[in-house]
Amino acid sequence: MYELSTTPRDEGTVMNLDPPDEKHLRRAIELSRRARAAGNQPFGSVLVQASGEVLAEDVNTEITDNDITAHPELKLARWAAANLSESDATTSTIYTSCEACAMCSGAIVTSGLGRVVYALSAPQLYELKGWPTQKVMRGITVLAEAGHHITVNGPFLYDEAAAPHLGFWVPG
């Protein structure tokens, strides 16, 4: 049920990423920069229909909303569950600037979304945060337990995705 395609820390090289995926993933990274500029944690996500139409996008607003669940992946999974048919959800892709956390991955599973493409992996993020790599359950572990097929592709675009995090978690 679960297909995982991972690449090593690619130092900014686009590996196995087709032009539409690259475009949408770069948009998610841009949204992560906007989240940080607004005083929030640097995460962004884009939800895209199989036709390539952008359905919704969002940023992390955990700090400004004073809501620990205000992650962009969770907000887009909620939107998908409320607005998409099962077949549309299954053929849609969520692009995230970072591998979704376990909470958001659970929402992605429940919403029925069929594909996840992410930039930073959780271990890459933990490294940027100065955390031990096994601090919390990985989102891809949750996705692997889904009762439906979810294709997961990443990590990609390390340098671009890491940039909004530099100095945010650990003062430089």
Side-chain angles (χ1 to χ4, degrees), residues 41 60-63 65-72 74 78 101 103-104:
Q41 295 179 0
N60 184 294
T61 55
E62 194 174 333
I63 295 170
D65 287 352
N66 194 29
D67 178 356
I68 62 169
T69 69
H71 297 195
L74 180 62
R78 278 189 195 133
C101 71
M103 172 185 69
C104 293

Side-chain angles (χ1 to χ4, degrees), residues 20-42:
D21 285 341
E22 181 181 347
K23 172 186 163 189
H24 297 306
L25 194 54
R26 283 200 159 109
R27 176 64 181 157
I29 294 167
E30 170 59 31
L31 291 168
S32 75
R33 286 191 288 270
R34 288 186 183 187
R36 181 174 178 170
N40 288 293
Q41 295 179 0

Side-chain angles (χ1 to χ4, degrees), residues 10 42 98 114-115 137:
D10 62 10
C98 185
R115 184 168 179 241
M137 176 183 278

